[in-house]
Amino acid sequence: MWYTRLRYMLRLCKSGGDPAGRPRFGCGLPRCRMSEGTALSELAERDARHNILALGVDYVTFGTGMAFLGPTTILPALIRLLGGSPVVVGSLGTIQSGSWLLPQLFAGRYVANRPFVKKLVVAPAVISRSLLWLLVPVLWYTAPRAPSIAIAAILLAYAGFGIFDSLGSVGWFELVVKGLPAARRGRLLGVMQSLSSLMAIGAGAVVGVVLARPGPAWSNHLLLVLVAAAFFCIGPGFIASIREPRGAVQGSPHAGWAHYLPRLASIVRSDRRFVWLLAVRMASGLADMATAFYILFAVERLHVPEEMIGLFVSAGVAGGLLSGALLGPLGDRKGSAQVVVVIMVLRCLAPSLALAAPLVAAGVPQLALGALVLVFVASGMANSAYMVGFTNYLMEIAPPGEGATYIALSNTLCGLLTVAPLFAGWLVQVASYELVFGLTLGVAALGLAVALRRPMPVAVPARAAQ
């Protein structure tokens, strides 16, 4: 290594600072130092390319794994197949939101202001993926013998997966900031999202084929969980290979709760724009409580064949593609607040189409199926626009250096919505799917009305709490 470096430096000196050998200037010591800096910048560029690849593989494989796991399509159908009630199906949404949102305030405070965070990403990721691998043999043994135990295993594994993924997600975003060059970060993330969506569309086609296989239905779902776990396990190895630069450290690794909590309270009291966004986002979260029941409504009420679940998975991913292609540029031109308004329009559209599907099913069944496909497209667009709409708006209104605090506070407060899917499941059990969809539509319409009345006060100063 030292010999190669010496030859490179001698070549620089002989060529006047040009490693290609083209004569430029004489070889003085300052010129050699300048060329050494160029070599270091080339090494940094190689590191950047490696980090881009590692982050991209993790992003794409995680999205593909989620498509095979299907928290709003495949898992609800599996739990229903095992005999789970609508309340149990609704608990999936509770687990998904609660396990990912609630731990972030603590994780954010722990990760903040640390020079290196890679270990804080890899360790939780390995644990979360291991829980899914452990779920596979448990389901294989209990699904045909003790379905209630299989359901409990699914819920516990999914909760653990969400908690540990949440703990690693804060550090993951820090790695994105460090690993992707700022000048190309937006474009690279867009490419990653597009590749992930394309892979997930292919996953939807595979899901349809797997669910149509002969044999016990639970075994087909087990195969999908196994494939999902395999994709999830690819990412942590690539994350561990990232060449993480040292981050800037200012003061102690994390602020004490005595300073942290008063600042959080001052944001809620003083920043009207934060309160506006929180209200709209909570309305959006309540409107999303019906998402897990669209697939059950299609299968049980409209008698859609189970193998059509793959089509609905692909429709949701296609909604994500449309969101990136349409709502991203909209946010650049009109602002992220306008994207928030569009999200609420989509939240109104999904339950409206679900309520309309039975009305047209008797006359034109294909039209009813098309309406259901559009339900998943609208839901996919709304959910995929979270970063472009809600997160970007928080970053815009947050004082310098407090973007992470605003995001963590918003996510934690929205953790109060974890009981909404359980409530929706209870309503389905005691009443009907139509009641849940009608309530969802009312909440979404109210959220849209609030979204159209955006306040414009000045954000609270960063030191106001002190």
Side-chain angles (χ1 to χ4, degrees), residues 153-455:
I154 293 172
L155 299 179
L156 288 174
Y158 191 47
F161 176 83
I163 290 172
F164 284 100
D165 185 62
S166 174
L167 294 176
S169 65
V170 178
W172 187 88
F173 282 109
E174 183 69 20
L175 284 180
V176 168
V177 173
K178 290 181 175 182
L180 301 185
R184 291 180 284 169
R185 190 175 300 146
R187 182 171 68 254
L188 291 170
L189 287 174
V191 171
M192 293 177 190
Q193 175 62 41
S194 298
L195 290 175
S196 178
S197 298
L198 290 174
M199 287 287 290
I201 290 177
V206 175
V207 167
V209 174
V210 170
L211 293 179
R213 292 171 62 245
W218 64 265
S219 65
N220 295 335
H221 285 271
L222 177 61
L223 179 59
L224 294 177
V225 174
L226 178 62
V227 174
F231 273 100
F232 283 132
C233 285
I234 296 174
F238 280 88
I239 292 296
S241 73
I242 286 178
R243 299 157 189 172
E244 180 186 8
R246 182 182 181 87
V249 177
Q250 298 177 357
S252 60
H254 49 266
W257 287 105
H259 297 282
Y260 195 56
L261 292 178
R263 174 58 187 149
L264 300 180
S266 71
I267 293 173
V268 177
R269 287 195 310 266
S270 306
D271 197 333
R272 292 180 59 199
R273 290 180 295 178
F274 177 85
V275 174
W276 170 81
L277 187 78
L278 183 64
V280 177
R281 188 180 168 192
M282 283 192 167
S284 177
L286 285 173
D288 194 42
M289 69 181 177
T291 301
F293 298 97
Y294 290 138
I295 187 65
L296 301 182
F297 178 72
V299 173
E300 297 179 4
R301 185 62 57 83
L302 300 181
H303 307 291
V304 174
E306 189 175 350
E307 54 266 25
M308 296 299 294
I309 292 177
L311 174 63
F312 297 143
V313 171
S314 296
V317 178
L321 276 173
L322 289 174
S323 177
L326 300 178
L327 299 186
L330 176 66
D332 290 339
R333 294 194 307 268
K334 302 292 184 179
S336 54
Q338 190 64 35
V339 177
V340 171
V341 174
V342 175
I343 290 174
M344 296 313 302
V345 172
L346 294 169
R347 292 297 189 202
C348 294
L349 181 62
S352 299
L353 290 170
L355 290 171
L359 301 178
V360 299
V364 187
Q366 294 81 4
L367 190 58
L369 180 61
L372 290 174
V373 170
L374 291 178
V375 166
F376 287 95
V377 171
S379 297
M381 287 188 68
N383 290 331
S384 299
Y386 167 79
M387 291 289 293
V388 179
F390 294 117
T391 302
N392 274 355
Y393 185 79
L394 285 174
M395 296 300 291
E396 289 172 5
I397 68 172
E402 291 201 287
T405 301
Y406 269 60
I407 293 173
L409 177 60
S410 174
N411 286 343
T412 302
L413 291 176
C414 285
L416 298 173
L417 299 174
T418 54
V419 298
L422 280 177
F423 176 65
W426 175 77
L427 283 180
V428 168
Q429 186 168 314
V430 301
S432 65
Y433 289 107
E434 287 82 359
L435 178 61
V436 173
F437 298 158
L439 180 61
T440 295
L441 177 57
V443 172
L446 180 61
L448 177 59
V450 176
L452 292 171
R453 299 178 60 85
R454 177 169 58 104

